[in-house]
Amino acid sequence: MLDVMFRIPPRTATDAYLSKMGGSVRLDIVFDVDLGELVEGHHVVARGLELTDAGGVLHYEFVPGLREQEEETKGPFFWYWMLSTEDDLGTPYNDYNNGAFDPDGETAAHGTRHLGGPVPNTARLLHLNFTPAEGWTPPRSWCRQLDISLPDGHVTKSRTSPH
């Protein structure tokens, strides 16, 4: 099966969220990576990392945004893809997958997912691992891992075949 190119839209939803926060939230590492269709009918596009002493946060967008009627037909947590975090220091990160997303996004909807704790300043490589929503198998290749070099933010992605 050939991979069909997905055109990543501008970071409009994430930029609107950051603007609404009035400078209290910012992306420390910026990237735009299509993780693939981790949720049926929606790509997850990773937009960057917010790194604070309270904990790391992945900012992403659902493209297109989720529709209210989808929850009625697909179930209440059809959008719940998974994230786990590792680094080169062996830091323990929890995998609670806390976060939130904008339910009103149309073309794209901004969301956040906590990394499971703060990323130590001495870490040089961060691994973000992704799993599609339960019961969903993406029809095309998807990103199973991002390796992020710290502090420069160079990103390498590892993709997975759908079968």
Side-chain angles (χ1 to χ4, degrees):
M1 174 184 284
L2 293 174
D3 255 349
V4 176
M5 288 297 294
F6 171 77
R7 187 170 180 193
I8 298 174
R11 197 178 310 125
T12 309
T14 298
D15 289 346
Y17 169 81
L18 296 171
S19 177
K20 185 171 70 173
M21 299 308 291
S24 64
V25 174
R26 68 181 177 88
L27 296 180
D28 298 294
I29 298 175
V30 178
F31 46 83
D32 295 305
V33 177
D34 174 22
L35 302 179
E37 193 177 329
L38 297 183
V39 174
E40 183 180 1
H42 304 273
H43 281 246
V44 175
V45 178
R47 297 301 194 173
L49 293 177
E50 173 189 352
L51 301 173
T52 69
D53 292 338
V57 177
L58 173 69
H59 288 256
Y60 70 92
E61 294 177 6
F62 282 120
V63 178
L66 304 177
R67 305 292 182 253
E68 189 175 316
Q69 65 273 19
E70 285 182 290
E71 198 166 300
E72 295 168 10
T73 60
K74 297 176 184 175
F77 295 104
F78 77 96
W79 47 263
Y80 198 65
W81 57 276
M82 303 297 287
L83 166 72
S84 65
T85 308
E86 302 171 76
D87 65 32
D88 59 327
L89 302 176
T91 305
Y93 293 91
N94 71 47
D95 60 357
Y96 299 149
N97 278 281
N98 293 333
F101 62 88
D102 178 3
D104 297 323
E106 297 210 9
T107 303
H110 173 264
T112 58
R113 190 63 65 88
H114 296 271
L115 300 185
V119 177
N121 292 337
T122 54
R124 293 293 163 245
L125 187 60
L126 189 64
H127 307 284
L128 301 183
N129 304 295
F130 306 99
T131 304
E134 186 175 340
W136 171 245
T137 300
R140 293 180 180 77
S141 176
W142 51 278
C143 183
R144 65 179 165 77
Q145 182 172 311
L146 291 181
D147 293 327
I148 304 166
S149 298
L150 302 172
D152 70 338
H154 177 76
V155 176
T156 304
K157 55 187 170 183
S158 299
R159 299 198 67 81
T160 298
S161 170
H163 303 292

